[in-house]
Amino acid sequence: MCGIVGYIGPRDATPVILAGLKRLEYRGYDSAGLAIIEDGRIKIRRDVGKLSQLESLVEESPVSGNIGIGHTRWATHGEPSARNAHPHLGMTGDIVLVHNGIVENYMELREELSAEGAVFNSETDSEVIVHLVERYLSTNGNLVDAARNALSHLRGAHGIVMISSKEPDKIVAARIGNAGGVVVGMGEGEMHIASDMPAILEHTRKIVFLESQQIAVVTRQGLDILALDGRTIDYQVSSVSWDPVSAEKGEFKHFMEKEIHEQVRSLTETISGRIDFRNGHSIRLPELNLTQKFAQDIRKIFITACGTAAHAGMVGKVLIEHIARIPVEVDIASEFRYRDPIVDENTVLLAVSQSGETADTLAAMEEGQRKGATLWSIVNVIGSQAMRISDGYISMQSGPEIGVASTKAYTAPLVDLYMLAILLGDLRGTLDRKSRQKLVDDLRLLPDLAGRCLDREAEVERLARELIHVNHCLYLGRGINMPTAYEGALKLKEISYIHAEGYPAGEMKHGPIALIDREMPVVVIAPRDPWYEKMFSQIEQAKARGGVVIAVATDGDQTIADIADHVLWVPHTPWLLSPVTTVIPLQMLAYHIAAQRGLDVDQPRNLAKSVTVE
Ligand code: F6R
């Protein structure tokens, strides 16, 4: 979704901003632009399409200066076009800004401002903000105060960054609610600003996160943070460790392929340091701040998330209910926030989010917090809003995930949820020492098992070749692997644009069975888990109707081999961990189908990496 980059310092801002925007390309966008103050005047370059388009524009018509802002836009109001691309310039030509989020009352503001004489040059909601700032500048002449006044009119969530040619010594930024983050990077004699850390980490690791309802005033020398009423606020500088090189594709054609292969490492990192071998294989999750008393008092856990993260949550429900015997409900975040859920102080709201910035998930967390729940989160991006507002968190340890389709950030939280279930079971006394040791020993096998799934990529690729022309695909799973069916279908549809549906296998006979014919492959997740026998009968039902069955099955399962048309083999995995191994061939299948169809795997159409609008 939209990305923001800003720079002030001794260097030429243009290449710094372009490089920053490049680092944010993975978020998904449809147009890009930048504004630089050159010789006291604001110069804008912007266009629809990829960043390379903007780079060519800058090459043909160079701009340079020591202060500037840039933006990649994911259209919400107004089609993707050069005039709707950010930055947006005010009528005086002195103010320019970029914006993430949605101005919910923009129609009303647009009418009001038009009546005052404002002329709009775009169809965006964002343009009202620049006119509002100008309205207040014309009366009190100070950018920070004008910005504060303008913000008081906006409904919705926003990240806004602006500069003025009349005050070329500063960048003014604001964060209202959860429309993505605003981070300030403190350099040596220079300052950076961005919506996301990857844009600036090559310049500095000293980061300040702006909270909601705060304004940042960034100059070459430093940073002031103000509340909306103008009070100065103290802030903390965090030191962030992250390796920009890991955001390169290396030997792989796409980030998604690289990230699928990184799962052995990410699972290892997820486990490492979290098992206390000297203390009877107990689990350590210190950032959760969980006491035995609180663990025993929990009556219910709501897991809330969106998309792939919600599928991880569904596996988590089975794990926590089975191991720790706590009732768990899984709620899609966009539903939870509006359905008046029954929550009290013995409820935990556990959010799962790769980015930690998904607007719906953050809103669900806020709703849970308002009603008195304890907030936990499982998050990949360190320092993200979800992590910051939680009472306790587990960090995924996956490293940056760049491909829009989530892969390693799906399997890591499965392991986090498994460890959480063990810890809760331990503290609540539902797990004896021997069972705990067995669960932990199983966990240690996992990275190797994942590696053995990856070793079979060539077979998956061969099958992908046979499937590249299909139009529809049904995925069936049951029990702990029902979410695997959902996730396999989501992976296929989002990157290959093939219609795919995930279904609880037992529901097939209640409707979807009508769809089955030779044209509709049925992917059946049937490892040796407690639902195996049941899955076997689903395969027979599909075969009896002429369906082409692709089974995900455990090595050596001759019965499945005899009945299915194709088998994607996985090594024998303890059933509570089986969703980790069964999903890997499905990730690879979706990847190879999309890659063989020649599609933009890492940035599928219409999708964004972190969805910061409602
Ligand atoms: C699909 C995918 C999305 C995300 C969803 C939530 O591959 O990546 O469905 O899982 O948008 O994002 P996060 O985890 O950042 O909250």
Side-chain angles (χ1 to χ4, degrees):
M1 212 146 263
C2 308
I4 291 177
V5 180
Y7 172 81
I8 182 165
R11 293 192 267 167
D12 181 2
T14 304
V16 178
I17 290 170
L18 284 171
L21 291 176
K22 192 126 199 92
R23 293 256 182 232
L24 298 186
E25 267 200 303
Y26 69 92
R27 291 166 56 82
Y29 65 101
D30 46 54
S31 48
L34 54 76
I36 304 288
I37 301 180
E38 185 182 70
D39 301 328
R41 295 178 55 130
I42 291 171
K43 302 273 175 67
I44 295 182
R45 303 286 180 269
R46 56 184 188 176
D47 210 345
V48 70
K50 292 285 177 192
L51 210 53
S52 51
Q53 186 69 21
L54 176 63
E55 284 167 337
S56 317
L57 207 62
V58 170
E59 226 164 82
E60 282 161 30
S61 172
V63 270
S64 71
N66 304 123
I67 172 169
I69 55 179
H71 191 262
T72 45
R73 173 176 187 250
W74 187 84
T76 56
H77 294 63
E79 56 169 9
S81 65
R83 62 193 283 266
N84 287 336
H86 298 215
H88 291 289
L89 189 67
M91 285 166 67
T92 56
D94 294 335
I95 307 288
V96 70
L97 61 76
V98 292
H99 169 231
N100 287 354
I102 294 177
V103 181
E104 287 171 3
N105 52 334
Y106 95 101
M107 285 301 285
E108 184 180 319
L109 289 172
R110 197 173 160 122
E111 272 169 34
E112 198 179 305
L113 289 158
S114 300
E116 290 171 17
V119 177
F120 284 81
N121 291 311
S122 75
E123 295 139 11
T124 64
D125 55 335
S126 311
E127 199 187 340
V128 300
I129 309 173
V130 76
H131 291 295
L132 275 174
V133 176
E134 281 194 328
R135 175 205 268 176
Y136 290 104
L137 262 181
S138 65
T139 52
N140 70 19
N142 161 340
L143 183 62
V144 175
D145 288 342
R148 286 201 300 114
N149 280 315
L151 291 172
S152 68
H153 292 272
L154 304 180
R155 282 212 304 270
H158 313 280
I160 302 166
V161 179
M162 63 184 85
I163 51 175
S164 161
S165 54
K166 296 279 185 252
E167 298 178 49
D169 60 336
K170 61 173 77 79
I171 302 177
V172 176
R175 175 175 188 163
I176 308 286
N178 302 311
V182 176
V183 294
V184 180
M186 322 273 283
E188 297 291 328
E190 63 177 22
M191 297 286 278
H192 301 263
I193 194 156
S195 51
D196 301 81
M197 285 191 294
I200 53 181
L201 282 178
E202 69 182 286
H203 307 293
T204 176
R205 303 296 169 91
K206 286 200 255 162
I207 301 289
V208 177
F209 299 100
L210 215 60
E211 300 296 340
S212 179
Q213 316 288 325
Q214 291 184 348
I215 297 177
V217 183
V218 182
T219 62
R220 270 188 192 211
Q221 290 75 32
L223 163 72
D224 283 324
I225 294 193
L226 311 177
L228 291 186
D229 62 10
R231 266 177 311 118
T232 306
I233 295 178
D234 288 340
Y235 59 84
Q236 267 191 340
V237 182
S238 310
S239 207
V240 175
S241 64
W242 186 74
D243 172 14
V245 179
S246 60
E248 308 290 348
K249 270 184 266 196
E251 72 206 76
F252 297 97
K253 201 162 161 223
H254 296 101
F255 279 112
M256 182 180 177
E257 187 187 16
K258 174 178 179 248
E259 286 157 4
I260 289 172
H261 282 269
E262 277 173 353
Q263 287 178 107
V264 176
R265 199 180 79 199
S266 103
L267 293 169
T268 310
E269 301 270 312
T270 301
I271 299 166
S272 72
R274 265 123 177 214
I275 304 173
D276 190 345
F277 292 107
R278 274 179 303 182
N279 191 14
H281 289 53
S282 58
I283 296 290
R284 278 201 303 230
L285 295 170
E287 290 86 9
L288 211 52
N289 301 319
L290 177 60
T291 61
Q292 178 147 32
K293 160 105 182 51
F294 184 67
Q296 287 171 350
D297 287 346
I298 299 171
R299 297 268 153 69
K300 184 168 200 170
I301 298 178
F302 283 102
I303 301 183
T304 193
C306 306
T308 287
H311 300 155
M314 291 173 194
V315 176
K317 172 184 165 74
V318 180
L319 295 170
I320 295 171
E321 290 191 339
H322 180 78
I323 299 173
R325 307 306 294 157
I326 303 173
V328 179
E329 264 188 61
V330 181
D331 261 83
I332 297 297
S334 52
E335 292 296 320
F336 182 87
R337 62 188 289 190
Y338 294 119
R339 78 166 173 80
D340 195 14
I342 300 168
V343 169
D344 62 21
E345 65 280 8
N346 295 114
T347 307
V348 168
L349 186 91
L350 168 57
V352 183
S353 177
Q354 188 286 127
S355 62
E357 299 289 353
T358 300
D360 286 322
T361 307
L362 293 173
M365 292 175 80
E366 281 162 8
E367 174 67 4
Q369 193 172 44
R370 208 174 52 77
K371 294 193 145 164
T374 293
L375 291 191
W376 289 350
S377 60
I378 300 179
V379 178
N380 193 30
V381 176
I382 311 284
S384 57
Q385 179 74 353
M387 187 177 275
R388 297 206 306 278
I389 64 175
S390 296
D391 300 299
Y393 66 87
I394 306 176
S395 75
M396 283 187 201
Q397 325 267 39
S398 292
E401 188 179 66
I402 306 292
V404 161
S406 199
T407 51
K408 62 178 180 172
Y410 174 68
T411 48
L414 297 182
V415 170
D416 291 321
L417 287 158
Y418 180 90
M419 293 188 296
L420 175 62
I422 298 175
L423 180 61
L424 286 168
D426 228 356
L427 296 174
R428 290 168 70 92
T430 57
L431 203 57
D432 59 43
R433 200 180 161 94
K434 206 163 144 236
S435 318
R436 180 181 71 204
Q437 188 143 347
K438 164 83 176 80
L439 290 172
V440 170
D441 282 340
D442 287 349
L443 185 55
R444 294 161 75 192
L445 305 173
L446 199 58
D448 178 56
L449 293 171
R452 283 160 60 194
C453 295
L454 293 168
D455 290 344
R456 298 148 194 222
E457 187 169 13
E459 292 149 41
V460 183
E461 195 175 349
R462 263 197 300 280
L463 176 60
R465 230 168 280 142
E466 291 188 34
L467 296 177
I468 53 171
H469 298 301
V470 303
N471 292 318
H472 308 275
C473 206
L474 188 61
Y475 285 67
L476 302 176
R478 237 176 144 144
I480 201 165
N481 276 296
M482 182 188 80
T484 311
Y486 292 169
E487 179 56 11
L490 178 60
K491 285 289 92 80
L492 185 67
K493 75 180 105 173
E494 67 182 336
I495 59 168
S496 72
Y497 317 143
I498 292 171
H499 168 228
E501 276 192 72
Y503 241 86
E507 280 287 287
M508 182 175 75
K509 56 190 175 294
H510 298 289
I513 199 163
L515 295 169
I516 294 177
D517 62 15
R518 297 249 7 120
E519 307 301 314
M520 169 92 136
V522 185
V523 179
V524 179
I525 298 76
R528 290 266 183 200
D529 65 14
W531 296 270
Y532 172 77
E533 306 289 340
K534 308 278 172 212
M535 284 310 298
F536 193 75
S537 55
Q538 311 295 326
I539 299 178
E540 282 181 323
Q541 286 173 22
K543 285 302 300 175
R545 274 129 194 117
V548 176
V549 170
I550 299 157
V552 176
T554 306
D555 282 345
D557 188 336
Q558 196 49 46
T559 325
I560 296 263
D562 289 342
I563 188 167
D565 298 272
H566 306 275
V567 183
L568 295 171
W569 295 110
V570 291
H572 175 77
T573 310
W575 73 268
L576 288 164
L577 289 166
S578 63
V580 176
T581 48
T582 51
V583 81
I584 292 175
L586 302 182
Q587 295 171 340
M588 294 194 292
L589 186 66
Y591 169 75
H592 283 292
I593 292 176
Q596 286 171 28
R597 285 166 76 116
L599 297 170
D600 188 349
V601 173
D602 286 331
Q603 288 169 39
R605 67 184 180 205
N606 307 337
L607 290 179
K609 183 66 184 162
S610 76
V611 183
T612 50
V613 294
E614 185 174 346

